[in-house]
Amino acid sequence: MAERGGGDRGGFGRGFGRGRGDRGRGDRGRGRRGGRRDEEEKWVPVTKLGRLVKEGKITSLEQIYLHSLPVKEHQIVDTLLGGRLKDEVMKIMPVQKQTRAGQRTRFKAFVVVGDSDGHVGLGVKCAKEVATAIRGAIILAKLSVVPVRRGFWGNKIGKPHTVPCKVTGKCGSVTVRLVPAPRGAGIVAARVPKKVLQFAGIEDVYTSSRGSTKTLGNFVKATFDCLMKTYGFLTPDLWLDTRFSKSPFQEYTDLLAKPTKASLIESTERVEA
Amino acid sequence: MDPDTNDIISFQELSLDKENELEELEEEDELEEYVTVGFLEKPKHPKFLLRHRFPSKTGGAPAWLDPLDLPTGKSSICDFCEEPLQFLLQIYAPISDKESTFHRMLYVFLCPSMICLLQNQYEQWKHREEDPRRSVKVFRCQLPRFNAFYSSEPPRRDGNDKPLIVGAALCSWCGTWKGEKVCSSCKRAPYCSKKHQARHWKSGHKIQCHQIIGNLETNSSSVLREKPPDKVACRLWPEYEMVIEDECAFDLEGSEDISCETSSLVPKHVTDDTYQFLLDKFEADDNKKSWASFQERISKCPSQVLRYSRDLMVNPLWPLSIGRPSLVNIPKCKYCNGSLCYEFQIMPQLLYYLGVKNDSDSLDWGVIVIYTCLASCESNVRYKEEFTWVQLYPTAPVT
């Protein structure tokens, strides 16, 4: 392929910026890069958090939540929650825009993901094709996974099964109120929030809603907002002082730092706490 | 098609469309941008990465194109911590239009300390007149086809290729920079700076020095010159060869068929009015949008480490919207005062391949974009400095 006498082409062998004329479109999926399947499966992290997760230094989502680190790659959630994560399309809605040449229709997809054990996420994506919208919404939902706190209605026997306290969430005109329920009550809610609550892993709850619940977007978002608040509510068992721990970005420097340095950091943290 | 009603409709829509047009352009598929992408692969043999093969590579020691007139002094050190810079990557990017750019190499060096990178991030906004200090430096070297260093025929790749002359001595510790200073006791080991001499002394040269002096007295041997490769390799970043592919070769083949048969809880014909509010909550700010389009673009080939395009119409792919340079921030060429244009960018996936640790103070960047002289000018300086722009991920979470 013109290895000799590259007089007008410049340079020997393969270099960047050559062949600007030929677009090489015929060489689709050539040789070693043709295996697009392995490229898809192999995730190359782009952020530091991604690299830490890929190495295996971070083993659970809780470590990420503890330090409020922003999750920018959905593969992080995939790696940490694995196969337990299920998703469901809540609604596909065609939205239209008027253009000179008629109407341009796009599809808006609402997707809820969850592992039925304390993690839920909600994603919304608009795209020209339904499949693209759903795919994009699943990715966005994974990025927005939040922890859900569960508690008991009465006696603390067995595993937590209901919300720890009465919480309420609001979006637009819709307010959703979740009330703890005894075991066996089941999820007493409308079809839409019931799905979200099932994904969250809440087994029994009473709900009460107000406002224009016909607007599905607001209704779902209000429920989600409510679930986010479960960990924001200060209950008596959280009255004890928290002992701050180092964020994952700090943990590993201390392995290499001298002992004096480590004790200094801990003492300052104790003062802060 | 009724022309009258169409005209009326289109007239009314013109005003609506103006504000939406920009949005539409962004949403439409981008025009086919011709971008070349670089991947890393283990080299089949380290011999293939020597300078007479004109390699594109990452890590290890650089394969200097012009082996004699290497950058020295201030250009080879980090302006903040005064340590010699470490070699990151080099690419072979000849330009076919001019004779003087038959061979053209771009070298990227950076200081591995994150503290220096953060300071560099601040200084890169300063104007050229203030003589900003940098910790990331890029050098461009070009040669015509007929030159004193390499044969004018392409390398035969049969194992017998050799450069025409032997290069200058390189530092015994880093193997990267020119070894101008020599060890004062054995007068044989070259070093690029006092710091490297001190380190080499501590980690073994103290013992070897005496042996060398002993050897010198018995017979004159220049064995020392051949040593650097295995000893320095452990200190530098792992060596890879860069493989070049066109981005369009990865385009998804066809789109999946549109199936509206998905079950949804609420019937499809019910439409809402309050979606703008929802959009704001879920989708938007600028940073998130640029991140989303960045992710989408790299998902075609997730292991890319370098994007190259000398096309003037192509913009660099930024992961975030904050911290981008505007036209004012990009200076003119230092040597010919001509304008600079975007040439290539280094992606954060490279950090994964280099195996940098992930502590709070280890190296991390969003993207490093390199702007080079549009005319690829000639000057007496063999290794000309070009302009780099680093975009880092924000340390504090941006709401």
Side-chain angles (χ1 to χ4, degrees), chain A residues 3-20 22-25 27-30 32-33 36-37 39-40 42-48 51-52 54-55 68 70 72-73 75 88-94 97-102 104 106-108 110 122-126 128-131 134-135 140 171-172 191-192 195 214-218 221 224 248-250 252-253 256, chain B residues 10 13-14 17 20-21 24 27-29 32 34 36-41 54 56 91-96 102-103 145 151-157 242-246 248-253 255-256 258-260 262-268 270-272 274-275 277-279 281-283 291 294-295 298 302-303 306 308 311 320 348-349 351-353 356-364 393 397:
Chain A
E3 251 223 288
R4 309 203 62 95
D8 50 338
R9 299 200 69 197
F12 295 146
R14 199 84 169 89
F16 281 92
R18 301 183 60 215
R20 280 179 61 201
D22 42 304
R23 302 245 142 171
R25 213 160 298 185
D27 297 354
R28 206 165 276 214
R30 75 180 77 157
R32 54 188 163 235
R33 296 291 155 202
R36 241 188 77 243
R37 297 289 155 251
E39 294 289 338
E40 277 176 11
K42 198 165 131 3
W43 163 46
V44 181
V46 171
T47 52
K48 194 189 272 194
R51 288 193 287 273
L52 279 171
K54 178 123 197 204
E55 270 177 57
S68 304
K72 293 197 146 177
E73 300 180 86
Q75 293 99 331
E88 166 111 16
V89 179
M90 302 280 278
K91 183 175 182 187
I92 308 272
M93 204 185 65
K97 178 182 128 166
Q98 194 75 354
T99 60
R100 259 179 238 127
R104 188 201 60 186
R106 297 201 303 169
F107 298 95
K108 198 172 215 106
F110 290 85
L122 181 60
V124 181
K125 178 84 177 148
C126 191
K128 277 190 270 203
E129 290 162 26
V130 175
I134 293 176
R135 226 179 310 132
L140 282 174
C171 176
R191 225 172 350 152
V192 168
K195 204 80 205 180
K214 204 170 74 156
T215 50
L216 175 118
N218 284 352
K221 176 67 160 107
F224 191 62
F249 295 159
Q250 284 184 311
Y252 300 99
T253 26
L256 311 165
Chain B
S10 54
E13 280 165 2
L14 265 174
D17 261 22
N20 290 336
E21 235 175 58
E24 188 166 342
E27 289 155 358
E28 295 288 344
D29 283 349
E32 281 286 346
Y34 189 63
T36 332
V37 172
F39 297 92
L40 293 184
E41 259 190 19
F54 310 109
S56 295
I91 61 170
Y92 182 59
I95 301 178
S96 15
F102 189 78
H103 294 297
R145 183 173 183 174
S151 142
S152 52
E153 293 301 311
R156 268 162 291 138
R157 296 167 197 274
M242 200 170 306
V243 173
I244 301 158
E245 297 280 339
D246 293 330
C248 47
F250 293 93
D251 283 341
L252 298 166
E253 291 123 10
S255 55
E256 290 145 51
I258 306 169
S259 65
C260 295
T262 48
S263 61
S264 42
L265 285 173
V266 186
K268 283 176 221 155
V270 175
T271 53
D272 290 347
T274 54
Y275 280 105
F277 181 69
L278 211 61
L279 263 175
K281 289 278 187 158
F282 276 115
E283 291 182 7
W291 181 256
F294 173 78
Q295 286 271 13
I298 66 171
S303 47
L306 192 133
Y308 183 97
D311 196 346
L320 299 166
Q349 286 94 324
L351 288 161
Y352 172 71
Y353 287 109
V356 294
K357 294 200 273 283
N358 292 310
D359 317 317
S360 61
D361 59 352
S362 53
L363 205 53
D364 186 25
Y393 291 125

